């Protein structure tokens, strides 16, 4: 999950959490709901659920909203070429400091290798980037190769929601608001064909849910 760092790091809970690798910090929605952000997991070694993503990656890999880069760094350690992108400068700096490769760039900005990435990762709720999953997925189809795949983490519940959110700490300090979205597996299955995408795989691991989507494919995978 990413949020743009357009406030000083000492005032922005998200930037501070990235600096310390801790928290706790929360994703707060305008209606008062909140979700705990597992910053400590983003700095830890990949979990078994993460490994199920990594096992499906074929290089080159683009990790969208890479945070501190645990996934792209793990792929590099497996000799799979991977690059992370994130709009948070501190996230990109941490990825590079920890041995990864990353660019401080929005997924909607011009990127290297457009149309040639074999795998694109949208993990950790990053299907919500920009607050419009259709626009995000449409952009992702421009980035991957015709033979490529999108690996997307979705919500555990059946939800399709566009909202405004911000990162908040336990003292009530808030970062800047940004557009966000939440999408479950059923909703992703519904919109995928509109974008020329087909679901080729669906699985769950450690209370997390994932789908694989490929261009020009109508096959529908089954949960494993």
């Amino acid at each position: 999950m990413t949020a743009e760092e357009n406030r000083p790091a000492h005032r922005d809970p998200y930037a501070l959490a990235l600096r310390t690798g801790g928290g706790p910090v929360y994703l707060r929605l305008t209606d008062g709901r909140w979700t705990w952000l597992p910053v400590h997991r983003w700095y830890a070694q990949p979990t078994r659920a993460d490994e199920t993503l990594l096992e499906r990656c074929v290089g080159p890999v683009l990790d969208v909203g890479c945070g501190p880069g645990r996934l792209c760094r793990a792929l590099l350690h497996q000799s799979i070429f991977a690059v992370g992108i994130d709009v948070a400068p501190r996230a990109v700096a941490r990825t590079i400091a920890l041995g990864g490769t990353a660019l401080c760039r929005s997924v909607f900005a011009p990127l290297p290798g457009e149309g040639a990435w074999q795998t694109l990762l949208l993990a950790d709720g990053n299907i919500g980037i920009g607050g419009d999953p259709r626009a995000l997925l449409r952009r992702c189809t421009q980035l991957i190769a015709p033979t490529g795949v999108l690996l997307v983490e979705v919500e555990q519940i059946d939800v399709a929601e566009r909202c405004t959110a911000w990162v908040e700490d336990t003292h009530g300090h808030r970062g800047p608001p940004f557009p966000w979205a939440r999408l479950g597996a059923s909703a992703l299955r519904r919109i995928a064909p509109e974008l020329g995408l087909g679901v080729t795989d669906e699985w769950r691991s450690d209370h997390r849910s994932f789908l694989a989507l490929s261009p020009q494919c109508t096959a529908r995978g089954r949960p494993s």
Side-chain angles (χ1 to χ4, degrees), residues 58-212:
V58 175
V61 179
L62 183 65
D63 183 6
V64 176
C66 65
R70 80 184 185 286
L71 297 179
C72 59
R73 287 187 285 110
L75 288 166
L76 287 170
H77 291 158
Q78 297 172 21
S79 299
I80 297 174
F81 180 73
V83 176
I85 60 171
D86 204 296
V87 296
R90 192 174 295 278
V92 172
R94 292 297 292 166
T95 297
I96 295 171
L98 293 170
T101 301
L103 300 171
C104 190
R105 200 80 57 84
S106 165
V107 66
F108 297 105
L111 292 168
E114 295 203 12
W117 299 96
Q118 285 295 329
T119 307
L120 188 148
L121 293 174
L122 286 171
D124 302 319
N126 282 332
I127 186 63
I129 289 174
D132 185 345
R134 282 182 176 84
L136 176 60
L137 291 170
R138 190 174 295 112
R139 173 58 175 149
C140 290
T141 63
Q142 298 170 350
L143 295 171
I144 62 171
T147 55
V149 62
L150 308 177
L151 300 180
V152 183
E153 183 170 356
V154 294
E155 297 283 342
Q156 287 285 302
I157 60 175
D158 187 13
V159 62
E161 177 182 24
R162 297 173 64 178
C163 54
T164 298
W166 58 82
V167 177
E168 184 174 315
D169 64 18
T170 54
H171 302 290
H173 300 137
R174 298 180 177 182
F178 51 89
W180 195 246
R182 300 171 66 231
L183 204 68
S186 295
L188 182 52
R189 281 183 172 275
R190 286 194 297 270
I191 69 174
E194 303 172 19
L195 305 169
L197 294 168
V199 177
T200 58
D201 196 6
E202 181 175 354
W203 72 99
R204 301 177 183 86
S205 180
D206 194 22
H207 308 293
R208 295 167 65 191
S209 295
F210 308 90
L211 283 86

